[in-house]
Amino acid sequence: MAYAVSGDGRVVAGRSCVADNGGNPCWGIIWTPEWGLVDLGKLLEAGGASLGSHHVGGVYGASFDGRVLVGQAHIGTGKFPEAFALQVVVPE
């Protein structure tokens, strides 16, 4: 489900949920015309970020230019989310 859209519509973010995803039924997603739909946690790790036991649970806001995303993450399978804000390099 999409919760955040950049001003020009080129970045759409939100979360995707399934019944069984290793204890974390929802994860953050991002869509751009160039990347298509991708798991935000996997995208961050591919870019060199170390998430450790954190799990990106969803994205709920985006800046007008789509370069800053805000949302929630969980430690392990914990039920209490933590807020995050991150800057991403989006395709031009």
Side-chain angles (χ1 to χ4, degrees):
M1 178 174 290
Y3 290 99
V5 181
S6 65
D8 63 2
R10 294 183 53 78
V11 176
V12 180
R15 71 181 190 163
S16 181
C17 301
V18 295
D20 182 19
N21 184 32
N24 293 303
C26 298
W27 61 94
I29 55 171
I30 184 171
W31 176 90
T32 70
E34 295 79 12
W35 294 339
L37 185 65
V38 295
D39 178 320
L40 182 57
K42 290 180 181 175
L43 179 67
L44 293 171
E45 289 175 337
S50 175
L51 298 179
S53 64
H54 282 78
H55 167 80
V56 179
V59 177
Y60 300 103
S63 63
F64 186 78
D65 65 5
R67 294 174 190 242
V68 176
L69 302 176
V70 296
Q72 68 180 19
H74 300 268
I75 298 175
T77 57
K79 296 186 186 235
F80 301 104
E82 297 181 5
F84 72 81
L86 60 92
Q87 186 171 2
V88 295
V89 178
V90 295
E92 301 261 347

